[in-house]
């Protein structure tokens, strides 16, 4: 049974079709697993083989096309009728002579859609260059268009039902962050602290369990804090060191990320303490400024002005839309809190605002995941904003 | 510091160049994160943005090209000199007006490689259709060739140093499987059993910690066992039900997967018990037959003949080469244990042989990860092969 009511999926499909019509796309081949889930409910770890949800302006239900052995999973998790679930034979898998997108093309021909304007998600994860070439060869009469992020832009506005799962993820995330802090201590191996974090991510709360986040826990320390995407080692945490905690929780594929900074030891430098206070002030100030109608770039400007007073600036964006997702990223790749982004904030948009300030040899980061409300914003998790000194 | 000696990376590069020359490829753009790691040591959770290792026949060291903020991670984890680590500016990230592959193309031009035969991994994860189109537009003088799996076929032969990490993963995996069995009980929520498994995967042993496997733990029960890639829920395990355990451990990105079947309750059906015995006999028999010189299809034939005696057959392949990898798959997509696969087994090839037998309303699976030795094979983990009855 799908996670949401069928009516909710049909509304998502309607909103997608409006954007398709605007973009001159008759048939959209959706390969991004988050977009596939969004339109049908499909949820499975099967995106390591090519698969798609195909949505046509003239058809009420989308068609799920995937590996034959995953059709049962599609029946189990989507709202689709059985005739809209099509599995391809297993000899398409990792074959040197044929490709699953040949099968998808065949299904499109069979429905008489092959002379239409066909959208594909050109930059989506799991839609390969080969897949595109095969589709183009098999569908010579089609007019291919880039439908990248088309569904993702529909996803930016969450329903109340989606928000409910994100709040549950926020509740789990409070426990995840507390677990990390409880397990940080000089001499503890990084892998053991990460293990405790994973345990809490999946166990969730007594009321609701957790799902796997789209990004692994990041808990770097020492010189690794300057290399943001290195994962953990067997090395023990050391005394008088800062640790960056970039964590998240996930509930039914909906995320609540949260970042904090901890300091192991008694003597955080005055520089670090001051940077922490200044960053947290900026986070509070920026959250307070958020309300519907504001542009994304205006949110960033609040922060930018605040840190300019201390003679600081931050090059990269300070946040991004997020929610439903799969590895390798929980971000939606749509709106960003950065200069030039004219996206207008509206109720039930959800962002991760992450303020990471990196100096030459020290740094501090603090983040919140929040929902835009009718007159402001609310965070998904409730967790103190400060430098955590652990000694 | 890179995980292996520089000499080992140079040997991998030499073997890659031999295959490049055979395929008529002068310059290979490697986007598969496992292949990038294999050739340079690069290890980071940064594959959610486009990145590449570019290897040219006329150049000793490959060039790592990635997001600017990940260049420090490349310095930290690769054997490359600083001048072979090139970061692109952050305004290439998720931009609507330019793409990181434009930057890669520029680097190729700058080196005078743009009139060469350029290989790209057409079906690799994380090399998008858009990335390919951008490269082709920016490099009109290049002769593009498909270099898909070229490096992966080099990876199939593991070094002794790689085998050492896979054996460590095997040791961790024994604990992972035992943890799963210890936590399976009627009334326990699926998410809690999975949480315990994750904890053990990362904590590893006292001697060596664990890394995140490329696939999440699969522990389905009841009707979900017929939908192989659905992940866990909050539902409690029930009495008198079978549970499929498809687990793994990972050490420095090297995997050891392992599958077993457990039965919760006192009364597994005679059918199930018989199927388990027959499958385990077949697994033992097939492992005993393995030796260098055998073809992959001959290994499968041993199994096929065994189950035919019981009037059974199995449609899908019974195993595949695996080792170093990243989400979403630990399989290497090269050799498979299946009819028609003429790959000749050689010492230090490593496979996951997984025998899943699915009847209408019951099933059993059992697997081993193994290394081909000088005169046979050895499994990476040492764990009983049987139906585990938990009551």
């Amino acid at each position: 049974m799908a996670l949401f009511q069928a009516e909710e999926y049909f509304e998502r499909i309607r909103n997608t079709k409006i954007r398709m019509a605007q973009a001159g796309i008759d048939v959209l081949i959706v390969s991004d697993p988050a977009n596939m889930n969004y339109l049908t409910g499909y949820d499975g770890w099967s995106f390591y083989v090519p698969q798609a949800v195909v949505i046509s302006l003239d058809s009420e239900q989308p068609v799920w096309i995937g590996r034959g052995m995953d059709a049962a999973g599609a029946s189990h998790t989507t709202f689709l009728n059985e005739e809209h679930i099509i599995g391809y034979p297993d000899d398409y898998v990792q074959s040197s002579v044929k490709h699953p997108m040949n099968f998808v093309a065949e299904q499109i021909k069979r429905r008489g859609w092959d002379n239409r304007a066909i959208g594909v998600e050109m930059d989506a994860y799991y839609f390969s260059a080969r897949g595109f070439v095969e589709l183009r060869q098999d569908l010579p009469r089609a007019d291919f268009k880039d439908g990248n992020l088309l569904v993702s832009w529909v996803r930016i506005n969450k329903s109340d039902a989606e928000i409910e799962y994100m709040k549950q993820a926020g509740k789990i995330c409070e426990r995840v962050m507390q677990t990390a802090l409880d397990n940080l201590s000089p001499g503890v191996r990084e892998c053991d602290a990460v293990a405790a974090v994973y345990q809490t991510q999946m166990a969730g709360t007594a009321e609701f369990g957790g799902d796997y986040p789209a990004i692994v826990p990041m808990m770097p320390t020492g010189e690794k804090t300057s290399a943001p995407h290195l994962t953990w080692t067997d090395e023990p945490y050391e005394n008088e060191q800062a640790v960056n905690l970039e964590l998240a929780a996930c509930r039914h594929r909906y995320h609540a990320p949260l970042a904090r900074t901890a300091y192991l030891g008694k003597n955080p430098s005055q520089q670090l303490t001051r940077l922490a206070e200044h960053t947290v002030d900026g986070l509070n100030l920026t959250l307070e400024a958020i309300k519907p109608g504001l542009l994304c770039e205006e949110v960033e400007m609040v922060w930018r002005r605040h840190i300019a007073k201390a003679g600081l600036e931050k090059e990269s964006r300070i946040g991004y839309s997020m929610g439903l997702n799969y590895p390798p990223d929980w971000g939606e790749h749509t709106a960003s809190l950065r200069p030039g982004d004219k996206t207008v904030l509206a109720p039930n948009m959800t962002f991760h605002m992450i303020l990471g300030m990196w100096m030459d040899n020290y740094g501090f980061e603090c983040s919140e995941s929040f929902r835009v409300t009718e007159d402001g914003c609310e965070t998904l998790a409730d967790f103190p904003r400060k430098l955590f000194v652990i000694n």
Side-chain angles (χ1 to χ4, degrees), chain A:
Chain A
M1 212 182 69
L3 189 62
F4 299 98
Q5 302 289 322
E7 183 42 48
E8 177 152 349
Y9 293 105
F10 281 119
E11 187 175 339
R12 298 170 182 185
I13 290 164
R14 272 196 301 276
N15 290 332
T16 299
K17 286 181 175 177
I18 290 169
R19 283 184 177 267
M20 286 169 62
Q22 287 166 347
I25 291 173
D26 302 313
V27 176
L28 181 64
I29 300 175
V30 176
S31 305
D32 179 308
N35 288 339
M36 290 177 64
N37 178 321
Y38 186 72
L39 294 172
T40 68
Y42 182 67
D43 181 25
W45 188 282
S46 57
F47 40 89
Y48 66 92
V49 293
Q51 51 184 16
V53 161
V54 184
I55 180 167
S56 168
L57 287 185
D58 65 5
S59 171
E60 195 199 19
Q61 284 194 18
V63 183
W64 179 95
I65 305 173
R67 189 177 182 181
M69 69 165 65
D70 294 318
S75 296
H76 202 84
T77 58
T78 71
F79 81 96
L80 302 173
N81 298 340
E82 286 304 318
E83 65 264 35
H84 291 91
I85 295 173
I86 318 273
Y88 56 77
D90 219 55
D91 61 352
Y92 279 91
V93 177
Q94 295 166 24
S95 160
S96 55
V97 296
K98 54 186 177 175
H99 192 276
M101 283 298 152
N102 302 137
F103 185 91
V104 171
E106 191 53 44
Q107 291 294 321
I108 284 173
K109 278 189 210 162
R110 190 172 296 184
R111 285 164 179 76
W113 295 341
D114 57 315
N115 61 349
R116 307 278 175 88
I118 297 182
V120 288
E121 297 175 312
M122 288 295 287
D123 221 9
Y125 304 121
Y126 312 119
F127 179 63
S128 72
R130 166 94 186 274
F132 179 51
V133 167
E134 297 290 341
L135 281 177
R136 249 194 347 203
Q137 280 174 358
D138 288 2
L139 301 171
R141 302 198 301 156
D143 174 20
F144 280 96
K145 302 209 170 188
D146 189 357
N148 201 51
L149 299 182
L150 189 148
V151 180
S152 314
W153 277 105
V154 178
R155 270 164 53 206
I156 196 172
N157 296 295
K158 274 71 180 174
S159 70
D160 290 344
E162 289 180 287
I163 293 292
E164 191 54 35
Y165 290 125
M166 294 187 74
K167 286 184 175 176
Q168 291 178 357
K171 283 289 145 213
I172 298 173
C173 197
E174 294 167 5
R175 293 187 177 215
V176 168
M177 186 58 75
Q178 191 58 52
T179 298
L181 294 170
D182 291 347
N183 282 274
L184 281 178
S185 182
V188 169
R189 296 185 305 174
E190 291 176 26
C191 60
D192 288 317
V194 164
V197 163
Y198 265 112
Q199 200 278 334
T200 304
Q201 283 178 324
M202 308 311 159
T205 75
E207 295 76 37
F208 36 82
D211 202 348
Y212 58 92
I215 305 178
V216 296
M218 301 286 183
M219 302 173 65
T221 185
E223 62 177 284
K224 288 195 298 284
T225 54
S226 65
H229 299 121
L230 299 187
T231 48
W232 58 92
T233 71
D234 299 357
E235 294 303 307
Y237 285 101
E238 290 182 16
N239 212 4
E240 305 302 339
Q241 289 272 17
V243 184
N244 302 335
L245 302 166
E246 294 193 13
L247 306 175
C250 183
R251 172 73 175 154
H252 290 312
R253 311 302 327 130
Y254 285 87
H255 288 77
L258 192 68
R260 291 290 184 271
T261 301
Y263 185 85
L264 301 190
K266 293 184 194 304
N267 303 304
S269 70
Q270 209 185 353
Q271 282 179 319
L272 176 58
T273 312
R274 217 153 39 201
L275 180 65
E277 283 168 9
H278 201 64
T279 306
V280 168
D281 284 349
L283 178 56
N284 293 337
L285 201 71
T286 311
L287 285 171
E288 277 160 28
I290 287 168
K291 60 184 181 193
L294 222 58
L295 307 186
C296 280
E297 65 176 4
E298 291 174 326
V299 175
E300 198 268 350
M301 185 55 76
V302 176
W303 159 256
R304 180 175 292 269
R305 286 197 178 129
H306 168 75
I307 56 166
K309 285 183 210 152
L312 297 173
E313 60 178 331
K314 177 168 156 49
E315 283 298 313
S316 46
R317 64 182 182 180
I318 64 163
Y320 49 85
S321 181
M322 59 84 210
L324 169 68
N325 235 322
Y326 287 86
D329 194 5
W330 54 56
E332 292 179 335
H333 300 192
T334 51
S336 288
L337 304 176
R338 64 177 163 189
D341 193 312
K342 310 286 187 194
T343 309
V344 183
L345 294 189
N348 277 9
M349 286 185 178
T350 50
F351 288 83
H352 182 217
M353 178 156 65
I354 176 162
L355 304 176
M357 297 302 296
W358 307 110
M359 307 298 123
D360 275 351
N361 55 354
Y362 67 105
F364 177 82
E365 64 180 350
C366 194
S367 86
E368 290 292 348
S369 291
F370 66 86
R371 166 179 94 92
V372 180
T373 61
E374 293 303 323
D375 57 359
C377 78
E378 62 175 345
T379 60
L380 298 178
D382 178 11
F383 207 85
R385 297 172 199 152
K386 63 173 189 176
L387 174 68
F388 289 84
V389 178
I390 298 172
N391 54 42

